Amino acid sequence: MKIRVIISSEKEKEIMLGAKEITDIMGFDIGYTDIGGSSFEDLKNEILEWEKDTEIYIVTAAENLELPKLIAQNTNRPVIAVPIKTEKYKSLELLESVVNMGSEGPYSTVAINGAANSALLACQMIGTKDEKMYERLEEYREELKNMVAEKERLLLEKISAV
């Protein structure tokens, strides 16, 4: 497993299934680790174990906004934070909290509930040294362009029929 998704609740896992959809398209394995209830010391020890088979971490920031920072402070691997909208944290305040976490351990942040974007970013990182991943990303982008072109064509047909 090269990409590890770290969550702390079942709700987060549901949202993060969007990452699995992308990695499935890319033909890539992704692993989920639920750390709900883990202490900071337990987490530090677990990170040492994860380092053996993890190249990139995707970490949710929902109830525990500090989680991406905690992971980033304890690894030299890239960390991608995914802010998860909750009842407690809404849009802008959530995003501000995640992106303003300080520089003790750098990490990138994608859109709120941006599971698919986090997986695409992780695949792009891997694609910088893995030619097959790079080629799969190129194919995926081409498929997206074709899909958008087809939707545009159908929309223009509907408009011209009016």
Side-chain angles (χ1 to χ4, degrees):
M1 166 194 351
K2 292 185 177 187
I3 302 172
R4 180 179 303 274
V5 176
I6 300 176
I7 59 171
S8 59
S9 74
E10 278 301 308
K11 181 181 181 201
E12 293 171 26
K13 186 172 185 175
E14 289 174 27
I15 291 168
M16 294 308 294
L17 289 176
K20 181 160 178 31
E21 291 174 18
I22 295 297
T23 56
D24 284 350
I25 290 169
M26 298 295 146
F28 209 75
D29 188 31
I30 189 170
Y32 287 85
T33 302
D34 187 339
I35 57 99
S38 294
S39 70
F40 179 61
E41 284 306 312
D42 289 342
L43 192 55
K44 282 174 44 175
N45 292 329
E46 288 176 22
I47 292 170
L48 291 174
E49 279 300 307
W50 298 334
E51 294 289 297
K52 297 174 185 169
D53 68 352
T54 304
E55 285 187 35
I56 299 169
Y57 293 97
I58 297 174
V59 184
T60 59
E63 295 303 321
N64 183 353
L65 297 178
E66 298 277 325
L67 190 55
K69 181 171 125 179
L70 292 173
I71 300 297
Q73 287 175 336
N74 290 282
T75 184
N76 288 322
R77 309 264 194 246
V79 175
I80 302 168
V82 181
I84 305 291
K85 190 174 183 179
T86 65
E87 288 300 314
K88 184 176 178 179
Y89 298 106
K90 308 275 191 228
S91 303
L92 288 179
E93 62 203 22
L94 168 64
L95 194 56
E96 270 187 77
S97 296
V98 176
V99 299
N100 289 323
M101 283 289 192
S103 60
E104 300 87 2
Y107 56 86
S108 63
T109 304
V110 295
I112 295 171
N113 293 0
N117 282 346
S118 69
L120 280 170
L121 181 56
C123 289
Q124 287 175 325
M125 290 174 177
I126 291 168
T128 62
K129 61 183 177 188
D130 180 331
E131 188 65 32
K132 287 182 183 178
M133 177 61 73
Y134 184 84
E135 290 170 4
R136 284 188 287 242
L137 283 162
E138 288 288 312
E139 291 168 7
Y140 179 71
R141 287 181 189 277
E142 192 60 35
E143 288 172 20
L144 287 179
K145 285 179 192 174
N146 292 339
M147 184 177 67
V148 168
E150 179 62 15
K151 285 182 178 181
E152 182 180 11
R153 185 188 67 76
L154 292 172
L155 182 61
L156 290 173
E157 279 181 13
K158 284 183 180 179
I159 291 171
S160 64
V162 174

